[in-house]
Amino acid sequence: MALIITDECINCDVCEPECPNSAISQGEEIYVIDPNLCTECVGHYDEPQCQQVCPVDCIPLDPDHKETKEELQAKYLIISGQA
């Protein structure tokens, strides 16, 4: 699954620089995650870095974008130009 940022986001700016795929950007009111770029850090780290640094725990799995580890790995290979 991709991740999603909920409206509990306080715009603290710590998640965006942690994303290795540049999937996080400032939205109109809160930060947002592009599900086409989010691999939950598969291919880069063992755990999603944005979740690790978020002080308000507002980055859960996105139920609208379910993906397996294999699908996330394939997406990572495409995004990183290795596919």
Side-chain angles (χ1 to χ4, degrees):
M1 280 187 199
L3 301 170
I4 188 170
I5 297 176
T6 65
D7 24 351
E8 285 86 30
C9 175
I10 59 171
N11 289 314
C12 66
D13 303 324
V14 298
C15 61
E16 184 181 24
E18 294 299 319
C19 182
N21 296 327
S22 300
I24 301 174
S25 61
Q26 179 65 49
E28 287 187 34
E29 295 183 25
I30 60 173
Y31 278 87
V32 295
I33 297 177
D34 181 343
N36 296 314
L37 295 176
C38 179
T39 63
E40 295 179 45
C41 290
V42 167
H44 295 281
Y45 303 104
D46 292 333
E47 297 179 356
Q49 297 302 289
C50 59
Q51 286 180 330
Q52 299 301 308
V53 299
C54 181
V56 292
D57 196 26
C58 69
I59 309 176
L61 293 172
D62 183 351
D64 293 332
H65 294 95
K66 295 181 179 182
E67 296 170 291
T68 65
K69 277 281 201 221
E70 292 77 22
E71 290 170 321
L72 292 170
Q73 180 67 31
K75 188 192 314 185
Y76 159 75
L77 292 174
I78 292 168
I79 292 169
S80 65
Q82 298 179 43

